[in-house]
Amino acid sequence: MTPQDIQTDVLVVGAGLGGIAAALAAADRGARVVLTEEHPWIGGQLTSQGVPPDESAWVEDFGVTARYRRLRDGIRDVYRRSYPLTDAARSWDALNPGAGWVSKLCHEPRVALGVLEEMLAPWRSSGRLTLLERVRPTSATTDGDRVTSVTLGSVVGGGPVTVSAALVVDATETGELLPLTGTEYVTGFESSRETGEPSAPDEAQPDNVQALSVCFAVEHVDGDHTIDRPERYDFWSSYRPDAWNGRRMLSWEAPNPRTLAMDVRTFTPNPGDDARAVAADQSKNPGDGNLWTFRRIAARDLFAPGHYASDLCLVNWPSIDYFLAPVLDVPRDVEEARVADARQLSLSMLYWMQTEAPRADGGTGFPGLRLRPDVMGSADGLAQAVYHRESRRIRAVTTVTENDVSYAVRGDAGATRYDDSVGVGMYRIDLHPSTGGDTYIDVPSTPFEIPLGALLPQRVTNLLAANKNIGTTHITNGCYRLHPVEWNIGEAAGHLAAHCLATGRAPHEVQAKPDLLADYQAELVSAGVELRWPADQVHPY
């Protein structure tokens, strides 16, 4: 079949949070945009990957863009308008529908999907934004240091589409455009000799990448809902990773990310806790004591009696972290086999919970645990997409290192300030066990800025990074990879693309020249992008 050709101003590959934010910003400023997505749902971490938003303790007041705040407000508005909330829940200004401890806004993925689709709808209706669904990039063409086109192949049997664009935004989860376009990049752990980071190894470890996870949602109801024994259950039920100090991975035990001591979590479905009393603030309480409530996405007691037969619990715990081998820069069949093994790990954890897990009453197994495929939008009940914590990362104009954000290094001086800041973020330096055999690195950071130089490759002139592929290191990826930061990165990239089209300037020129940079930053501020933390906000958690 002859490929279909599309010509546009801005091509955004990947409709996760960074990609959607980039597309919205560029379209709002008048650019013609093509946005692409591989999975059935747009939204990435928040939807197809099933990860409730990890945000800073100050998210209700500061530290996110105006558009991201509209997304959060829109999610709450759906619950208030359409769900049978109790009077107490409806009057809760900071409504947390799941009353989960990981986030001040735990919710069902499908609700976020609807809000994101609503945010895109006006631009799709006007024709300014085209969404190409169920496609992934397969090749690209370049002319010197410019990307000229990207070809996208269908994942459901359709023909290829080739898109040519003046500006190309890589908002994929793993930096898929970087090898296709020949853009220089790094994977895994950089060496301390290169970065000067105190937590980095002496030699680079490009295959040492953070764990990925395949999340799922369960409820606990009457009856026996035990799934078929997973094919790889014998392996996973006996697996004892080094990071677990010789203990079984499928258990209620796991390393404490901050102390590395083995902690025993509890698991009490539908505990009847006071959902309004949940104070999701990881600066005070990591919140993972009872795994059921840690990432709960629907707390039934916030709704009319009988609306939910059970709370909904989102499983994204250490026991489903897959770190046997990396999936970056391996043949496609190897990647698919390793992802399939990660899915087997998740199913094995569920089967273990249903059949072997110790209960507080002295018994074993929770056969009442039932997968909710409808909640995840999938046939098997697992998330549609893999949650990749770490991506290929561009060799950037500016690379953020541990020395720029670590509280142990920076202290009360605060994180490095950047003249070219395009946003802010805050999260601990949180690295999960990795494919090189490393355990957690989880240490305090300090509220940080996002330098524009981290979105720009050193050489390629019209490709912008808009996800976890920016110029961070293996270590600082651990605090720049969360939902509001990804959104801010994407929004800055979309604004920059449209700004460059409108002014005839190149991205690197805007970053390098103070007067041009000031004009661009003024546009960001006008759009509700916060460039600096308050002067006194330097303290970590």
Side-chain angles (χ1 to χ4, degrees):
M1 180 179 293
T2 302
Q4 176 184 356
D5 293 330
I6 298 176
Q7 177 72 47
T8 192
D9 296 328
V10 181
L11 169 62
V12 181
V13 181
L17 293 178
I20 291 172
L24 286 170
D28 189 38
R29 286 189 43 77
R32 293 176 301 127
V33 181
V34 171
L35 174 65
T36 79
E37 176 54 37
E38 174 181 356
H39 300 286
W41 287 354
I42 62 171
Q45 290 190 69
L46 204 58
T47 60
S48 62
Q49 297 167 37
V51 181
D54 281 306
E55 300 168 331
S56 80
W58 309 294
V59 65
E60 299 293 341
D61 302 312
F62 197 85
V64 300
T65 75
R67 279 194 181 89
Y68 186 82
R69 194 165 300 285
R70 285 200 293 273
L71 167 62
R72 298 179 87 254
D73 290 345
I75 291 168
R76 284 176 170 150
D77 184 55
V78 169
Y79 281 97
R80 290 195 174 97
R81 284 189 291 106
S82 302
Y83 281 69
L85 294 167
T86 65
D87 290 342
R90 193 175 303 280
S91 64
W92 187 5
D93 288 342
L95 174 64
N96 188 348
W101 287 87
V102 75
S103 170
K104 296 179 184 295
L105 185 58
C106 289
H107 55 83
E108 293 184 51
R110 192 184 299 275
V111 175
L113 172 66
V115 176
L116 291 167
E117 289 180 335
E118 182 180 349
M119 293 174 78
L120 291 177
W123 306 118
R124 296 182 70 182
S125 296
S126 72
R128 192 175 294 175
L129 187 151
T130 300
L131 176 62
L132 300 181
E133 300 178 87
R134 307 310 309 277
V135 296
R136 65 175 298 170
T138 56
S139 63
T141 61
T142 59
D143 181 6
D145 294 337
R146 290 182 56 82
V147 179
T148 52
S149 73
V150 176
T151 297
L152 302 127
S154 172
V155 298
V156 290
V161 178
T162 297
V163 182
S164 302
L167 279 300
V168 177
V169 178
D170 185 348
T172 62
E173 298 298 323
T174 57
E176 291 182 52
L177 290 189
L178 304 184
L180 295 179
T181 60
T183 302
E184 291 78 11
Y185 66 91
V186 62
T187 61
F189 233 142
E190 298 89 344
S191 71
S192 59
R193 288 179 297 177
E194 176 184 354
T195 67
E197 295 174 305
S199 299
D202 292 338
E203 301 293 333
Q205 300 171 2
D207 292 331
N208 193 357
V209 178
Q210 277 198 78
L212 58 83
S213 297
V214 179
C215 305
F216 57 93
V218 292
E219 61 184 357
H220 188 262
V221 293
D222 292 339
D224 186 343
H225 305 284
T226 304
I227 62 171
D228 293 338
R229 183 183 178 94
E231 293 179 5
R232 287 271 285 167
Y233 187 71
D234 286 346
F235 172 81
W236 286 114
S237 64
S238 61
Y239 182 53
R240 299 172 182 265
D242 291 342
W244 265 245
N245 295 326
R247 294 176 174 84
R248 291 174 61 184
M249 188 170 180
L250 300 191
S251 71
W252 300 136
E253 281 190 288
N256 181 307
R258 304 181 187 185
T259 67
L260 303 184
M262 291 297 291
D263 283 356
V264 180
R265 277 77 171 187
T266 62
F267 184 73
T268 306
N270 299 316
D273 57 320
D274 181 359
R276 283 288 308 270
V278 171
D281 183 346
Q282 293 187 57
S283 68
K284 299 180 174 66
N285 182 351
D288 58 353
N290 179 4
L291 291 171
W292 181 267
T293 57
F294 180 40
R295 294 183 185 272
R296 182 172 52 186
I297 56 175
R300 64 180 181 179
D301 291 342
L302 293 176
F303 301 85
H307 183 73
Y308 286 96
S310 163
D311 293 347
L312 296 180
C313 170
L314 194 287
V315 177
N316 178 14
W317 309 330
S319 52
I320 66 165
D321 279 3
Y322 181 85
F323 45 80
L324 285 191
V327 298
L328 302 180
D329 293 342
V330 298
R332 180 67 172 161
D333 61 336
V334 175
E335 176 188 350
E336 290 175 346
R338 290 174 180 173
V339 168
D341 202 22
R343 298 179 80 83
Q344 280 288 303
L345 169 57
S346 294
L347 290 171
S348 294
M349 181 60 184
L350 173 61
Y351 186 78
W352 176 84
M353 289 193 292
Q354 291 173 322
T355 60
E356 295 187 46
R359 302 194 307 258
D361 64 5
T364 56
F366 293 84
L369 290 175
R370 180 166 64 183
L371 278 171
R372 287 294 302 267
D374 55 323
V375 171
M376 304 309 293
S378 65
D380 62 4
L382 302 181
Q384 299 171 14
V386 172
Y387 173 36
H388 291 280
R389 292 181 176 85
E390 188 169 340
S391 170
R392 301 173 183 90
R393 302 181 300 280
I394 59 172
R395 292 285 187 184
V397 170
T398 304
T399 298
V400 180
T401 73
E402 183 180 6
N403 296 320
D404 293 310
V405 298
S406 167
Y407 188 75
V409 175
R410 304 293 304 180
D412 288 343
T416 297
R417 290 184 62 125
Y418 297 100
D419 291 339
D420 64 343
S421 174
V422 294
V424 297
M426 178 55 189
Y427 205 73
R428 289 174 67 87
I429 298 175
D430 172 13
L431 279 76
H432 284 231
S434 57
T435 55
D438 292 291
T439 187
Y440 288 91
I441 299 175
D442 192 317
V443 295
S445 64
T446 186
F448 54 79
E449 298 173 357
I450 304 165
L452 177 57
L455 280 60
L456 305 180
Q458 292 175 355
R459 179 183 61 83
V460 180
T461 60
N462 70 329
L463 178 71
L464 307 176
N467 201 317
K468 296 180 286 287
N469 53 353
I470 66 168
T472 58
T473 64
H474 173 81
I475 294 171
T476 54
N477 165 73
C479 60
Y480 276 76
R481 64 180 172 82
L482 287 311
H483 304 64
V485 181
E486 179 190 336
W487 181 281
N488 193 152
I489 291 165
E491 190 165 339
H495 273 289
L496 180 62
H499 176 86
C500 289
L501 287 165
T503 62
R505 304 291 187 175
H508 292 71
E509 186 180 10
V510 172
Q511 191 267 342
K513 295 185 176 180
D515 56 335
L516 302 181
L517 176 64
D519 290 343
Y520 162 63
Q521 288 175 317
E523 292 175 3
L524 292 178
V525 171
S526 178
V529 177
E530 296 163 351
L531 305 186
R532 310 284 182 199
W533 284 93
D536 60 346
Q537 187 61 72
V538 299
H539 299 294
Y541 67 83

